[in-house]
Short mmCIF file of all heavy atoms in Angstrom, two decimals:
data_model
loop_
_atom_site.label_atom_id
_atom_site.label_comp_id
_atom_site.label_asym_id
_atom_site.label_seq_id
_atom_site.Cartn_x
_atom_site.Cartn_y
_atom_site.Cartn_z
N LYS C 1527 132.67 62.14 129.25
CA LYS C 1527 131.52 62.77 129.89
C LYS C 1527 130.26 61.92 129.87
O LYS C 1527 129.35 62.14 130.64
CB LYS C 1527 131.18 64.10 129.15
CG LYS C 1527 132.37 64.91 128.76
CD LYS C 1527 132.88 65.75 129.90
CE LYS C 1527 134.23 66.37 129.52
NZ LYS C 1527 134.23 67.10 128.26
N PHE C 1528 130.19 60.95 128.95
CA PHE C 1528 128.93 60.27 128.72
C PHE C 1528 128.44 59.52 129.95
O PHE C 1528 127.27 59.55 130.29
CB PHE C 1528 129.07 59.31 127.54
CG PHE C 1528 127.77 58.66 127.15
CD1 PHE C 1528 126.89 59.32 126.29
CD2 PHE C 1528 127.40 57.42 127.63
CE1 PHE C 1528 125.70 58.73 125.93
CE2 PHE C 1528 126.20 56.84 127.28
CZ PHE C 1528 125.35 57.49 126.41
N HIS C 1529 129.35 58.84 130.63
CA HIS C 1529 128.92 57.99 131.74
C HIS C 1529 128.81 58.74 133.05
O HIS C 1529 128.47 58.16 134.07
CB HIS C 1529 129.86 56.79 131.87
CG HIS C 1529 129.79 55.88 130.67
ND1 HIS C 1529 130.63 56.02 129.59
CD2 HIS C 1529 128.93 54.87 130.36
CE1 HIS C 1529 130.32 55.11 128.69
NE2 HIS C 1529 129.30 54.40 129.11
N LYS C 1530 129.15 60.04 133.01
CA LYS C 1530 129.04 60.83 134.24
C LYS C 1530 127.81 61.71 134.16
O LYS C 1530 127.38 62.08 133.08
CB LYS C 1530 130.23 61.79 134.33
CG LYS C 1530 131.54 61.18 134.60
CD LYS C 1530 132.50 62.36 134.77
CE LYS C 1530 133.91 61.94 134.48
NZ LYS C 1530 134.79 63.12 134.42
N LEU C 1531 127.31 62.08 135.31
CA LEU C 1531 126.32 63.14 135.30
C LEU C 1531 127.03 64.40 135.76
O LEU C 1531 127.32 64.56 136.94
CB LEU C 1531 125.16 62.79 136.23
CG LEU C 1531 124.16 61.77 135.68
CD1 LEU C 1531 123.11 61.46 136.73
CD2 LEU C 1531 123.50 62.32 134.43
N SER C 1532 127.36 65.26 134.83
CA SER C 1532 127.94 66.54 135.22
C SER C 1532 127.72 67.52 134.09
O SER C 1532 127.49 67.14 132.95
CB SER C 1532 129.44 66.39 135.51
OG SER C 1532 130.15 66.28 134.30
N GLN C 1533 127.79 68.81 134.44
CA GLN C 1533 127.54 69.83 133.43
C GLN C 1533 128.78 70.02 132.58
O GLN C 1533 129.84 70.36 133.08
CB GLN C 1533 127.17 71.15 134.13
CG GLN C 1533 127.03 72.31 133.14
CD GLN C 1533 126.84 73.63 133.86
OE1 GLN C 1533 126.35 73.66 134.98
NE2 GLN C 1533 127.23 74.71 133.22
N SER C 1534 128.69 69.74 131.30
CA SER C 1534 129.81 70.01 130.41
C SER C 1534 129.28 70.33 129.03
O SER C 1534 128.12 70.12 128.75
CB SER C 1534 130.74 68.80 130.36
OG SER C 1534 130.04 67.69 129.87
N ARG C 1535 130.17 70.87 128.19
CA ARG C 1535 129.74 71.27 126.86
C ARG C 1535 129.51 70.04 125.99
O ARG C 1535 128.45 69.77 125.49
CB ARG C 1535 130.76 72.20 126.24
CG ARG C 1535 130.82 73.53 126.96
CD ARG C 1535 131.96 74.39 126.48
NE ARG C 1535 132.02 75.60 127.31
CZ ARG C 1535 132.53 75.66 128.52
NH1 ARG C 1535 133.04 74.58 129.09
NH2 ARG C 1535 132.52 76.80 129.19
N GLY C 1536 130.58 69.27 125.81
CA GLY C 1536 130.43 68.03 125.05
C GLY C 1536 129.82 66.97 125.95
O GLY C 1536 129.98 67.02 127.17
N GLN C 1537 129.12 66.01 125.38
CA GLN C 1537 128.55 64.98 126.22
C GLN C 1537 128.69 63.59 125.60
O GLN C 1537 128.92 62.63 126.27
CB GLN C 1537 127.07 65.25 126.49
CG GLN C 1537 126.85 65.91 127.84
CD GLN C 1537 125.45 66.45 128.01
OE1 GLN C 1537 124.76 66.75 127.05
NE2 GLN C 1537 125.00 66.54 129.23
N GLN C 1538 128.57 63.54 124.27
CA GLN C 1538 128.36 62.24 123.69
C GLN C 1538 129.57 61.67 122.98
O GLN C 1538 129.52 60.60 122.41
CB GLN C 1538 127.20 62.29 122.71
CG GLN C 1538 126.28 63.44 122.98
CD GLN C 1538 124.82 63.10 122.83
OE1 GLN C 1538 124.31 62.36 123.67
NE2 GLN C 1538 124.20 63.59 121.82
N GLY C 1539 130.69 62.43 122.96
CA GLY C 1539 131.88 61.90 122.31
C GLY C 1539 131.71 61.74 120.81
O GLY C 1539 132.20 60.81 120.19
N LEU C 1540 130.93 62.64 120.22
CA LEU C 1540 130.66 62.55 118.79
C LEU C 1540 131.32 63.69 118.02
O LEU C 1540 131.75 63.52 116.90
CB LEU C 1540 129.15 62.65 118.53
CG LEU C 1540 128.32 61.39 118.60
CD1 LEU C 1540 126.85 61.73 118.45
CD2 LEU C 1540 128.74 60.40 117.51
N GLY C 1541 131.37 64.87 118.67
CA GLY C 1541 131.62 66.10 117.95
C GLY C 1541 132.92 66.18 117.19
O GLY C 1541 132.93 66.32 115.97
N ILE C 1542 134.06 66.07 117.90
CA ILE C 1542 135.33 66.39 117.23
C ILE C 1542 135.70 65.29 116.24
O ILE C 1542 136.22 65.55 115.17
CB ILE C 1542 136.45 66.67 118.28
CG1 ILE C 1542 137.60 67.39 117.61
CG2 ILE C 1542 136.90 65.40 118.97
CD1 ILE C 1542 137.25 68.80 117.17
N SER C 1543 135.37 64.01 116.59
CA SER C 1543 135.71 62.96 115.64
C SER C 1543 134.82 63.04 114.40
O SER C 1543 135.24 62.68 113.30
CB SER C 1543 135.62 61.58 116.30
OG SER C 1543 134.65 61.54 117.30
N SER C 1544 133.61 63.54 114.54
CA SER C 1544 132.79 63.70 113.34
C SER C 1544 133.36 64.81 112.45
O SER C 1544 133.18 64.78 111.24
CB SER C 1544 131.33 63.96 113.69
OG SER C 1544 131.21 65.12 114.46
N SER C 1545 134.08 65.78 113.04
CA SER C 1545 134.75 66.79 112.23
C SER C 1545 135.86 66.15 111.40
O SER C 1545 136.04 66.47 110.23
CB SER C 1545 135.34 67.89 113.11
OG SER C 1545 134.32 68.55 113.81
N VAL C 1546 136.61 65.25 112.03
CA VAL C 1546 137.66 64.54 111.30
C VAL C 1546 137.04 63.75 110.14
O VAL C 1546 137.53 63.76 109.01
CB VAL C 1546 138.43 63.59 112.25
CG1 VAL C 1546 139.40 62.71 111.47
CG2 VAL C 1546 139.17 64.40 113.32
N LEU C 1547 135.92 63.10 110.46
CA LEU C 1547 135.22 62.30 109.45
C LEU C 1547 134.75 63.18 108.29
O LEU C 1547 134.95 62.84 107.11
CB LEU C 1547 134.01 61.64 110.13
CG LEU C 1547 133.13 60.70 109.31
CD1 LEU C 1547 133.94 59.51 108.83
CD2 LEU C 1547 131.95 60.21 110.15
N TYR C 1548 134.16 64.31 108.62
CA TYR C 1548 133.64 65.19 107.56
C TYR C 1548 134.80 65.75 106.73
O TYR C 1548 134.69 65.88 105.51
CB TYR C 1548 132.84 66.33 108.18
CG TYR C 1548 132.26 67.27 107.15
CD1 TYR C 1548 131.12 66.90 106.43
CD2 TYR C 1548 132.85 68.50 106.88
CE1 TYR C 1548 130.60 67.73 105.47
CE2 TYR C 1548 132.33 69.34 105.93
CZ TYR C 1548 131.20 68.96 105.22
OH TYR C 1548 130.68 69.78 104.26
N SER C 1549 135.88 66.06 107.38
CA SER C 1549 137.05 66.60 106.68
C SER C 1549 137.56 65.60 105.64
O SER C 1549 137.76 65.92 104.49
CB SER C 1549 138.13 66.94 107.70
OG SER C 1549 139.38 67.10 107.05
N GLN C 1550 137.76 64.35 106.05
CA GLN C 1550 138.30 63.38 105.09
C GLN C 1550 137.29 63.04 104.01
O GLN C 1550 137.63 62.80 102.87
CB GLN C 1550 138.78 62.12 105.81
CG GLN C 1550 137.66 61.19 106.26
CD GLN C 1550 138.18 60.06 107.12
OE1 GLN C 1550 139.13 60.23 107.88
NE2 GLN C 1550 137.56 58.90 107.03
N LEU C 1551 136.02 63.07 104.36
CA LEU C 1551 134.99 62.75 103.39
C LEU C 1551 134.96 63.80 102.28
O LEU C 1551 134.79 63.48 101.12
CB LEU C 1551 133.63 62.70 104.10
CG LEU C 1551 132.46 62.15 103.31
CD1 LEU C 1551 132.68 60.68 102.97
CD2 LEU C 1551 131.17 62.31 104.10
N THR C 1552 135.13 65.06 102.65
CA THR C 1552 134.98 66.11 101.64
C THR C 1552 136.30 66.49 100.98
O THR C 1552 136.32 66.89 99.84
CB THR C 1552 134.35 67.39 102.25
OG1 THR C 1552 135.12 67.81 103.37
CG2 THR C 1552 132.93 67.12 102.69
N THR C 1553 137.43 66.39 101.70
CA THR C 1553 138.69 66.82 101.09
C THR C 1553 139.70 65.68 100.98
O THR C 1553 140.73 65.83 100.32
CB THR C 1553 139.35 67.95 101.90
OG1 THR C 1553 139.78 67.41 103.16
CG2 THR C 1553 138.41 69.10 102.13
N GLY C 1554 139.46 64.56 101.64
CA GLY C 1554 140.41 63.45 101.60
C GLY C 1554 141.64 63.68 102.47
O GLY C 1554 142.46 62.80 102.63
N HIS C 1555 141.73 64.88 103.06
CA HIS C 1555 142.91 65.18 103.86
C HIS C 1555 142.81 64.60 105.26
O HIS C 1555 141.74 64.47 105.82
CB HIS C 1555 143.08 66.70 104.00
CG HIS C 1555 143.59 67.36 102.75
ND1 HIS C 1555 144.84 67.09 102.24
CD2 HIS C 1555 143.03 68.24 101.90
CE1 HIS C 1555 145.03 67.80 101.14
NE2 HIS C 1555 143.92 68.50 100.89
N ALA C 1556 143.99 64.28 105.81
CA ALA C 1556 144.06 63.90 107.22
C ALA C 1556 143.92 65.16 108.07
O ALA C 1556 144.27 66.26 107.63
CB ALA C 1556 145.39 63.21 107.50
N SER C 1557 143.41 65.01 109.30
CA SER C 1557 143.38 66.14 110.23
C SER C 1557 144.69 66.14 111.01
O SER C 1557 145.34 65.11 111.14
CB SER C 1557 142.20 66.01 111.19
OG SER C 1557 141.00 66.03 110.48
N ARG C 1558 145.08 67.32 111.53
CA ARG C 1558 146.34 67.43 112.27
C ARG C 1558 146.03 67.81 113.71
O ARG C 1558 145.33 68.80 113.95
CB ARG C 1558 147.24 68.49 111.64
CG ARG C 1558 147.93 68.06 110.35
CD ARG C 1558 147.05 68.21 109.12
NE ARG C 1558 146.76 69.59 108.80
CZ ARG C 1558 145.82 70.00 107.98
NH1 ARG C 1558 145.01 69.11 107.38
NH2 ARG C 1558 145.63 71.27 107.75
N ILE C 1559 146.55 67.02 114.63
CA ILE C 1559 146.36 67.34 116.04
C ILE C 1559 147.73 67.59 116.66
O ILE C 1559 148.62 66.73 116.63
CB ILE C 1559 145.64 66.22 116.80
CG1 ILE C 1559 144.24 66.04 116.21
CG2 ILE C 1559 145.54 66.56 118.28
CD1 ILE C 1559 144.11 64.93 115.23
N TYR C 1560 147.91 68.82 117.20
CA TYR C 1560 149.11 69.20 117.91
C TYR C 1560 148.77 69.15 119.39
O TYR C 1560 147.72 69.64 119.80
CB TYR C 1560 149.52 70.63 117.59
CG TYR C 1560 149.80 70.93 116.14
CD1 TYR C 1560 148.75 71.06 115.22
CD2 TYR C 1560 151.11 71.12 115.69
CE1 TYR C 1560 149.02 71.36 113.89
CE2 TYR C 1560 151.37 71.41 114.36
CZ TYR C 1560 150.31 71.54 113.47
OH TYR C 1560 150.56 71.83 112.16
N SER C 1561 149.67 68.58 120.19
CA SER C 1561 149.38 68.55 121.62
C SER C 1561 150.68 68.65 122.41
O SER C 1561 151.70 68.05 122.06
CB SER C 1561 148.65 67.25 121.96
OG SER C 1561 148.66 67.06 123.36
N ARG C 1562 150.63 69.45 123.44
CA ARG C 1562 151.78 69.53 124.34
C ARG C 1562 151.21 69.48 125.74
O ARG C 1562 150.31 70.23 126.08
CB ARG C 1562 152.53 70.84 124.10
CG ARG C 1562 153.81 70.97 124.90
CD ARG C 1562 154.62 72.17 124.44
NE ARG C 1562 155.89 72.22 125.16
CZ ARG C 1562 156.87 73.04 124.86
NH1 ARG C 1562 156.75 73.90 123.87
NH2 ARG C 1562 158.00 73.02 125.55
#
Side-chain angles (χ1 to χ4, degrees):
Chain C
K1527 319 278 170 52
F1528 185 84
H1529 295 92
K1530 289 185 204 170
L1531 283 177
S1532 75
Q1533 175 187 334
S1534 60
R1535 292 172 185 78
Q1537 262 168 335
Q1538 338 221 70
L1540 274 175
I1542 197 68
S1543 31
S1544 60
S1545 297
V1546 173
L1547 182 62
Y1548 181 77
S1549 164
Q1550 75 188 35
L1551 190 65
T1552 55
T1553 67
H1555 285 296
S1557 298
R1558 284 83 67 195
I1559 297 98
Y1560 301 75
S1561 165
R1562 185 170 184 171

